[in-house]
Amino acid sequence: MAAVTAAGVASYAVGGGPGHPDGGPRPDDARPGDQPPGPAPDRAALRRLVAGMSLAEKVGQLFVSRAYGHSATDPDPADAEENLKLFGVRTAAELVARYHLGGIIYFSWAHNTRDPQQIAELSAALQRTAAASGSGVPLMLSTDQEHGAVARIGKPATLLPGAMALGARHGATAGGPAANAASAAAGPAGTGPAGTGDAAGVGTPGQDAPGPNAAGKGGADSAGIAEARRAARIAGAELAAMGIRQDYAPVADVNVNPANPVIGVRSFGSDPQAVAALVAAQVRGYQGAGVAATAKHFPGHGDTETDSHVGLPVMRHSRAQWEELDEPPFRAAVAAGVDAVMTAHIVFPALDPSGDPATLSGPIVTGILRERLGFRGVVVTDALDMAGVRQKYGDDRVPVLALKAGCDQLLNPPDLGLAHRSVIAAVEAGELTQERIEESVLRILELKARRGLFDAAHTVAGQVGALVGIPAHLSAADEIAAGTTTLLANPVKLLPLDPATAPKVLVTGTDPASPSGTTGPPTVVLARELTALGCRATAVPPARAVAAAAGNAAVLVCTYNVPEGDGPQRTLVTELLATGVPVVVVAIRNPYDPARLPGCAAELATYTWTDVEMRAAARVVTGAVRPTGRLPVPVPGRYPLGHGLAYD
């Protein structure tokens, strides 16, 4: 047991926001630059706590692991067997106790996220286990709840528009140098007219870091920035109510490559200044609700053509390009007080010619993130079971090298036991010092204290019902989404359809699986909402669409990342055009699809295929809401950054 107990630190810890019994800030109290109430953590007390830990306890604090099951102590038999196979224990509670873990990450595929009440009960049980074992330090429970294309927790929790949809809500103005640079960085495919965001003052290389308000020189947030902060505030409030105090969001990557297979709509866009403003806004939103925000993926993953889950991407930007394109959002996040930054498993030769991925790079993590940007918070690795970080070194070396590079939290190693033993062995052999380990542990404990975990480690009864998926949040999600749908083309003025005439509409196309497993299918949701708005809409599978097209006022085709050349989606649109019925393309993920599907009567981009975006699209189609979204990325060969039409 530590000389100073975790309970003894509690009186020094900061209040924890809406999940905290002191009645911290509510999600509708958002203010620029707000933070949870209460004093800063007492570093001396935390140092005494660290000093009293065993080496195994200190090393355990560095790890955030997955664990299978909906319950901490009574998982389903299949989940218990998976835990036994991977970790040598049957339950998440046993895993926490055995390795003195610093945190657990929740995944839907690990069966941690059935529903909000179950998540809250799982969180509370895990915290009770942590309090009763080892040094008694509370867990940092985390997840990837970016919203949009990546969401681990679904209905009845509130699902909000994702990053690129919020980028469309924020909008862009034409002709600025930042946007032209972003377009040029995409190569020949990205050339053409471009614009810049309305985010002056968020900080550029060589300038002072932005102040408390990173929205603009005038001091007032744009509506888009305010809505981004509002979305994060709501998301954070709901996570905190479920006991989750770290979200691996927002994505700070500037997506300048249309072929990027892993970032895409997870990014706010291609304009580094607009992305910087939106990242800073979301950092303030999450942390104003008592949840640690995590800007990712440093030093920037926006111009890669390899998915780091399955390979090792190489970033080809020069140092000057990095400073112009990739650095500003991370600089803005640091200036906004972001709690954590996540590293990328990418090779960036201009920043480190060694060939090591950024996660294992001292020149990148320590030299740039710590020293150049002045970041003093927690550096968390991207998941260590991803191929991008495992190609050059073995699983025993990766966690040691990540710590030597300057990382603090080691996320989801493929073999937790091996990783834990390897770090201990590195300390015993003198490769890592006790001081280096304690440096990271102290940062992690300060983060836990700042987010109220020493005071309120356990979920407070009634918080789920009071905050998660409540009508006010669901209504806010629809309000935010209303400004995201982008009307790209409407050459024959087909839209808006007039509900007063009860037009007959066919909806078809691709129905990707819901990110959270709880929404969709998008064609059905779109048809249902169109019907609620006065149309006679029917959803049919693509195989039946051509035969069913006749007699409809329009056919809406949901497309999902249409590839170059021929393919099933292009064939479907071509055959529908041949029927003579007007075709409306609804690009439900990347907005590049319309450039590969010419000849349609109208084109829309929604950036996400969750229910909230499908409802927003239906309102635009019927004119219940006027389209105001603007492209946050250029569509090569078709539309510039900032393009978007309105109804006359």
Side-chain angles (χ1 to χ4, degrees):
M1 181 66 68
V4 175
T5 65
V9 177
S11 61
Y12 300 104
V14 70
H20 190 272
D22 68 3
R26 304 287 295 186
D28 54 356
D29 294 336
R31 295 293 185 273
D34 56 8
Q35 295 291 331
D42 186 290
R43 291 176 63 89
L46 293 174
R47 284 195 185 97
R48 292 193 296 272
L49 178 57
V50 173
M53 292 181 180
S54 68
L55 177 59
E57 289 170 347
K58 293 173 190 173
V59 171
Q61 282 298 307
L62 307 177
F63 285 98
V64 179
S65 177
R66 69 198 181 283
Y68 288 81
H70 70 287
S71 166
T73 57
D74 187 26
D76 291 340
D79 290 325
E81 287 302 312
E82 192 68 19
N83 286 329
L84 187 62
K85 179 176 71 175
L86 292 173
F87 308 119
V89 298
R90 290 187 173 275
T91 71
E94 292 171 322
L95 185 66
V96 169
R98 170 174 288 194
Y99 291 105
H100 315 289
L101 285 179
I104 292 284
I105 178 173
Y106 290 165
F107 291 110
S108 53
W109 51 259
H111 308 137
N112 306 136
T113 58
R114 285 184 177 177
D115 61 73
Q117 188 63 46
Q118 166 268 318
I119 296 169
E121 292 169 359
L122 172 62
S123 299
L126 287 171
Q127 295 290 14
R128 288 193 295 271
T129 297
S133 61
S135 58
V137 174
L139 292 161
M140 178 59 79
L141 301 174
S142 60
T143 195
D144 293 287
Q145 190 76 352
E146 298 173 13
H147 290 271
V150 176
R152 310 299 186 194
I153 302 167
K155 295 191 303 185
T158 304
L159 290 168
L160 293 137
M164 193 168 285
L166 292 173
R169 178 75 172 81
H170 175 46
T173 56
N180 284 321
S183 182
T191 58
T196 185
D198 56 356
V202 293
T204 55
Q207 296 179 344
D208 291 336
N213 184 348
K217 292 179 180 177
D221 287 350
S222 76
I225 291 171
E227 293 290 51
R229 188 177 63 251
R230 182 188 187 195
R233 183 78 173 218
I234 291 168
E238 297 201 2
L239 290 172
M242 292 179 274
I244 298 169
R245 290 301 178 92
Q246 184 169 9
D247 192 12
Y248 298 123
V251 172
D253 304 314
V254 180
N255 197 80
V256 296
N257 189 340
N260 195 317
V262 67
I263 303 302
V265 295
R266 298 169 63 196
S267 164
F268 291 107
S270 64
D271 177 350
Q273 301 304 325
V275 173
L278 292 163
V279 165
Q282 291 227 302
V283 166
R284 294 191 175 95
Y286 282 117
Q287 294 182 184
V291 169
T294 307
K296 63 184 185 184
H297 307 79
F298 190 81
H301 207 322
D303 193 9
T304 58
E305 295 187 7
T306 300
D307 183 346
S308 52
H309 293 84
V310 298
L312 180 57
V314 178
M315 190 73 152
R316 300 296 184 188
H317 287 184
S318 67
R319 177 68 181 242
Q321 286 177 309
W322 177 79
E323 291 177 356
E324 177 71 22
L325 298 174
D326 305 297
E327 181 185 27
F330 292 101
R331 180 177 289 277
V334 172
V338 70
D339 278 337
V341 173
M342 179 181 284
T343 62
H345 302 327
I346 62 171
V347 172
F348 208 131
L351 304 184
D352 180 359
S354 70
D356 286 343
T359 297
L360 310 182
S361 168
I364 291 175
V365 176
T366 298
I368 297 178
L369 181 56
R370 294 281 190 212
E371 296 174 1
R372 175 182 168 89
L373 297 186
F375 180 58
R376 297 293 177 260
V378 170
V379 178
V380 55
T381 70
D382 206 344
L384 297 182
D385 62 346
M386 293 166 59
V389 79
R390 302 175 71 189
Q391 290 194 355
K392 189 173 180 180
Y393 302 100
D395 292 335
D396 59 333
R397 295 297 298 157
V398 166
V400 175
L401 295 173
L403 291 169
K404 292 178 73 172
C407 297
D408 302 305
Q409 280 185 323
L410 305 171
L411 179 61
N412 202 31
D415 186 333
L416 177 60
L418 174 64
H420 192 270
R421 291 190 301 272
S422 297
V423 174
I424 291 176
V427 175
E428 292 174 340
E431 184 179 8
L432 289 168
T433 65
Q434 285 265 10
E435 291 76 15
R436 172 65 192 89
I437 299 299
E438 291 175 358
E439 177 187 322
S440 285
V441 174
L442 182 60
R443 285 196 192 102
I444 291 165
L445 296 190
E446 286 179 327
L447 172 56
K448 291 179 178 183
R450 204 159 50 243
R451 294 300 147 221
L453 287 170
F454 287 97
D455 279 348
H458 308 307
T459 311
V460 180
Q463 286 295 311
V464 169
L467 282 173
V468 180
I470 58 175
H473 289 182
L474 298 174
S475 176
D478 279 327
E479 291 172 7
I480 295 167
T484 63
T485 303
T486 305
L487 179 63
L488 299 175
N490 193 26
V492 296
K493 308 296 184 185
L494 174 70
L495 300 181
L497 300 177
D498 183 1
T501 65
K504 187 179 177 185
V505 180
L506 194 69
V507 182
T508 189
T510 306
D511 274 324
S514 167
S516 66
T518 63
T519 65
T523 59
V524 173
V525 174
L526 182 56
R528 184 171 63 231
E529 188 66 17
L530 288 168
T531 297
L533 291 167
C535 299
R536 292 175 293 148
T538 305
V540 300
R544 292 173 43 204
V546 174
N552 285 278
V555 179
L556 275 62
V557 183
C558 293
T559 65
Y560 184 96
N561 296 359
V562 176
E564 294 281 4
D566 293 331
Q569 295 186 82
R570 183 164 186 165
T571 298
L572 173 63
V573 170
T574 300
E575 292 178 352
L576 285 168
L577 287 170
T579 68
V581 177
V583 174
V584 178
V585 168
V586 184
I588 61 174
R589 185 162 177 159
N590 289 341
Y592 310 113
D593 292 356
R596 296 162 184 169
L597 300 169
C600 296
E603 301 166 356
L604 296 167
T606 67
Y607 312 99
T608 318
W609 62 103
T610 53
D611 291 4
V612 68
E613 289 294 354
M614 292 299 96
R615 290 195 298 270
R619 295 197 294 275
V620 167
V621 166
T622 58
V625 167
R626 301 180 74 82
T628 58
R630 297 292 181 267
L631 276 174
V633 294
V635 175
R638 195 69 168 269
Y639 303 119
L641 177 67
H643 172 79
L645 303 180
Y647 294 144
D648 295 334

